């Protein structure tokens, strides 16, 4: 028997998504809904309309599809999240940078996060060694579908991954990650989506009750 028989197989992205109760096809549909909404933005609308419409439809479709599988929507502090039905996992959306989807590239959020998201991240893992350990269920773990739209000539490319940030103080960008699950980019041919670098996230500033 060869040594290969004893090697521990490296989990695929699909395997790692399954550990979170996610499927790539669901993420695909959410991203497509956002891109369709972005492309349909009125040409004389406000400059942040394409990104905002993308975010609204991506969040709405993602939560609708997962709710049909038993997930529970969570609107606490106006954060558009959804919660796994059996595990302490929350999922939200986030705009990244050009390192999105590239495991060897630094990933950071495009915008600083307010107190609501910072509070949601406080029980996240602090390093890469606690992935999926059932013993670490002391609090909810906030993961994000991270995307970044990039216009390349006549193609729009959406870079993407599903990742869990380390706890991050409010009013800071997220640039430290406990776990990253890079995913292949999605390409949309012959589509020029306006304002691909425009704001996508809404993080409402609220005063948290103690």
């Amino acid at each position: 028997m060869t040594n290969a028989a004893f090697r521990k197989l490296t989990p695929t992205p699909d395997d790692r998504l399954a550990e979170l109760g996610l499927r790539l096809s669901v993420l695909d549909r959410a991203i497509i809904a956002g891109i369709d909404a972005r492309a349909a933005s009125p040409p004389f609308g406000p400059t942040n309309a394409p990104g905002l419409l993308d975010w609204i439809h991506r969040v709405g479709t993602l939560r609708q599809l997962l709710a049909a599988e038993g997930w529970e929507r969570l609107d606490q502090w106006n954060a558009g999240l959804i919660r796994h039905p059996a595990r302490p996992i929350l999922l939200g959306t986030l705009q990244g940078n050009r390192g999105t989807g590239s495991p060897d590239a630094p990933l950071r959020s495009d915008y600083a996060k307010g107190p609501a998201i910072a509070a949601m991240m406080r029980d996240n893992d602090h390093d890469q060694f606690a992935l999926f350990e059932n013993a670490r269920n002391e609090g909810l773990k906030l993961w994000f579908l991270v995307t970044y739209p990039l216009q390349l000539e006549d193609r729009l490319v959406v870079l993407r991954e599903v990742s869990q940030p380390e706890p991050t103080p409010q009013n800071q960008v997220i640039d430290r990650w406990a776990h990253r699950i890079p995913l292949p980019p999605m390409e949309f041919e012959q589509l020029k989506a306006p304002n691909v670098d425009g704001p996508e996230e809404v993080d409402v500033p609220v005063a948290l009750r103690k």
Side-chain angles (χ1 to χ4, degrees):
M1 185 176 294
T2 65
N3 290 334
F6 296 99
R7 292 175 187 164
K8 185 176 181 179
L9 297 178
T10 301
T12 66
D14 285 337
D15 293 334
R16 299 180 70 191
L17 290 178
E19 290 279 356
L20 297 173
L22 298 173
R23 290 177 288 112
L24 188 58
S25 60
V26 169
L27 306 181
D28 288 348
R29 290 175 63 183
I31 292 172
I32 290 170
I35 294 301
D36 286 346
R38 178 188 287 271
S41 179
F44 288 94
T47 56
N48 68 337
L52 182 58
L53 288 171
D54 184 341
W55 178 77
I56 290 171
H57 285 264
R58 182 168 10 105
V59 170
T61 300
L62 182 64
R63 297 207 299 178
Q64 180 181 6
L65 294 173
L66 291 177
E69 298 181 0
W71 291 59
E72 179 183 359
R73 63 183 292 170
L74 181 66
D75 290 311
Q76 184 179 9
W77 301 326
N78 295 318
L81 307 175
I82 193 157
R83 181 175 179 173
H84 192 283
R87 304 195 64 185
I89 293 170
L90 294 174
L91 181 65
T93 66
L94 184 72
Q95 178 164 299
N97 61 354
R98 293 198 180 204
T100 305
S102 299
D104 298 324
L107 173 65
R108 67 189 296 274
S109 66
D110 204 25
Y111 303 98
K113 297 290 99 179
I117 294 299
M120 293 283 189
M121 290 189 290
R122 63 189 174 194
D123 289 319
N124 277 9
D125 298 332
H126 289 267
D127 54 53
Q128 62 180 317
F129 301 110
L131 186 60
F132 311 133
E133 285 185 7
N134 292 328
R136 294 198 57 171
N137 286 349
E138 69 276 12
L140 295 171
K141 311 296 185 181
L142 177 58
W143 291 71
F144 288 109
L145 168 60
V146 186
T147 56
Y148 184 77
L150 185 64
Q151 188 73 53
L152 298 176
E153 297 181 352
D154 62 345
R155 293 175 298 126
L156 179 70
V157 177
V158 177
L159 310 178
R160 58 188 181 152
E161 62 182 75
V162 172
S163 297
Q164 182 196 127
E166 294 188 10
T168 303
Q170 68 182 63
N171 301 324
Q172 293 188 20
V173 298
I174 302 172
D175 59 5
R176 294 180 62 85
W177 303 85
H179 313 292
R180 294 179 63 184
I181 307 176
L183 301 171
M186 297 183 71
E187 291 193 7
F188 299 83
E189 295 183 358
Q190 298 180 344
L191 172 66
K192 286 188 178 294
N195 195 25
V196 294
D197 293 322
E200 286 198 358
E201 308 305 326
V202 175
D203 190 9
V204 179
V206 295
L208 305 183
R209 294 181 179 177
K210 296 183 179 180

